[in-house]
Amino acid sequence: MSKDNELPENSFEDTMQELEQLVAEMEQGDVPLEQALAKFERGISLARNSQKMLKAAEQRVQILMQQDQEDILQDLDQQRIDE
């Protein structure tokens, strides 16, 4: 990947905003071919990065849900005694 397409550590929202902006620019149709190809390459990088962020968030949610299922519920009085 070229340096122009390297992705800094942006938030998911920032990444999506940049991707939406690229799409809007390319949809206008007045971008020269080389610039369109560079924007397309950047867009692919942004989309892949967004997908990775979504996958990581999904995995975190799954881990949290599994932990919740493993917790044993106790009566409130029993919890106070154990503390």
Side-chain angles (χ1 to χ4, degrees):
M1 184 182 321
S2 70
K3 287 190 181 255
D4 291 342
N5 290 319
E6 288 180 6
L7 296 172
E9 292 297 320
N10 288 339
S11 71
F12 178 79
E13 293 78 11
D14 290 342
T15 301
M16 291 304 297
Q17 184 177 7
E18 183 179 350
L19 183 57
E20 289 172 3
Q21 181 180 354
L22 282 172
V23 169
E25 291 171 3
M26 291 179 65
E27 284 179 340
Q28 291 178 355
D30 59 353
V31 179
L33 179 60
E34 286 302 314
Q35 286 182 351
L37 287 172
K39 288 178 184 290
F40 180 77
E41 185 177 359
R42 176 70 177 165
I44 293 295
S45 296
L46 290 167
R48 287 180 180 157
N49 192 45
S50 296
Q51 186 65 33
K52 287 179 186 177
M53 286 188 272
L54 284 173
K55 186 70 172 174
E58 181 181 343
Q59 289 173 345
R60 289 175 60 192
V61 168
Q62 287 178 348
I63 290 169
L64 290 170
M65 295 300 292
Q66 286 174 353
Q67 288 174 348
D68 284 346
Q69 290 175 358
E70 292 172 1
D71 288 343
I72 299 173
L73 297 178
Q74 297 178 345
D75 291 334
L76 183 59
D77 292 336
Q78 183 63 36
Q79 286 179 347
R80 288 185 181 151
I81 293 170
D82 291 343
E83 292 174 352

